[in-house]
Amino acid sequence: MYNNTLIILLVSVVSLGQLKAQEISKASQQEFKIVTVVESIVPMGLGRSRIIDSKTQVDAAQFATERTDGTKSNQKEISRKDIKIDELEETKLLNFFSATGINFQNIASNDAMIASKINSMISEGWNLTYVTSGVESNAGADDGQGIFITRLFFSRNQLLE
């Protein structure tokens, strides 16, 4: 008898927990944010390295068109200047290279700045969900240009009113 009562009590507690979780998920939706890190590989401080965080909400549907037969498009009706946002946070970083070559102090400094940004986002309730990166450089004989770009994808539950 005692074991049956304990089992019923445990099943009840688990069931109530599942109902509460469903209630919470119905009252919220996922919100996403992307923060981009651009680190220049141009030597002697000539490049521009930054952490870029958009502070503007946009609706991509306002700038999208649909093709009906694969060739006709109304994209020319959308002006590029209307797509550009004005509100962004720009955090200065150091370039990977100095006059003498790769600068490990600059890399460590950038790592500290990027970690600070991630920690700040986490303290605001964001979760770091995905990271992707790439390098752009022509790598020719006189290559003096290039960037290392990293996109940090964050998500959080946004409560609905």
Side-chain angles (χ1 to χ4, degrees), residues 4 21 31 34 39-41 55 58 64 81 84 89 92 119-120 131 135 137 144 146 155 158 160-161:
N4 289 342
E31 177 183 16
I34 301 171
E39 294 174 278
S40 174
I41 58 174
K55 298 299 181 182
V58 297
K81 69 178 179 159
K84 290 192 177 193
E89 178 183 276
K92 192 169 193 170
N119 290 332
S120 174
V131 178
V135 176
S137 178
S155 65
Q158 180 182 35
L160 301 176
E161 297 179 11

Side-chain angles (χ1 to χ4, degrees), residues 4-117:
N4 289 342
T5 305
L6 184 59
I7 290 172
I8 291 171
L9 180 62
L10 286 173
V11 169
S12 297
V13 169
V14 170
S15 297
L16 286 174
Q18 288 175 338
L19 287 173
K20 187 66 176 170
Q22 288 175 354
E23 186 178 304
I24 290 170
S25 68
K26 288 180 183 176
S28 66
Q29 69 180 13
Q30 284 290 110
E31 177 183 16
F32 295 93
K33 183 171 189 63
I34 301 171
V35 174
T36 300
V37 179
V38 178
E39 294 174 278
S40 174
I41 58 174
V42 176
M44 300 184 348
L46 298 175
R48 295 179 12 187
S49 298
R50 305 282 191 273
I51 299 173
I52 305 297
D53 183 356
S54 170
K55 298 299 181 182
T56 302
Q57 294 290 328
V58 297
D59 180 7
Q62 292 180 326
F63 306 103
T65 62
E66 292 185 16
R67 293 183 183 218
T68 55
D69 66 358
T71 59
K72 293 182 183 177
S73 173
N74 294 335
Q75 280 292 302
K76 290 182 181 179
E77 296 174 11
I78 298 173
S79 173
R80 290 182 189 273
K81 69 178 179 159
D82 294 336
I83 297 172
K84 290 192 177 193
I85 63 162
D86 294 324
E87 298 175 18
L88 60 113
E89 178 183 276
E90 187 176 358
T91 305
K92 192 169 193 170
L93 295 175
L94 301 169
N95 296 337
F96 278 166
F97 289 99
S98 62
T100 59
I102 192 165
N103 188 317
F104 296 108
Q105 184 179 17
N106 286 4
I107 293 171
S109 298
N110 287 1
D111 288 350
M113 294 292 286
I114 295 164
S116 173
K117 179 62 178 177

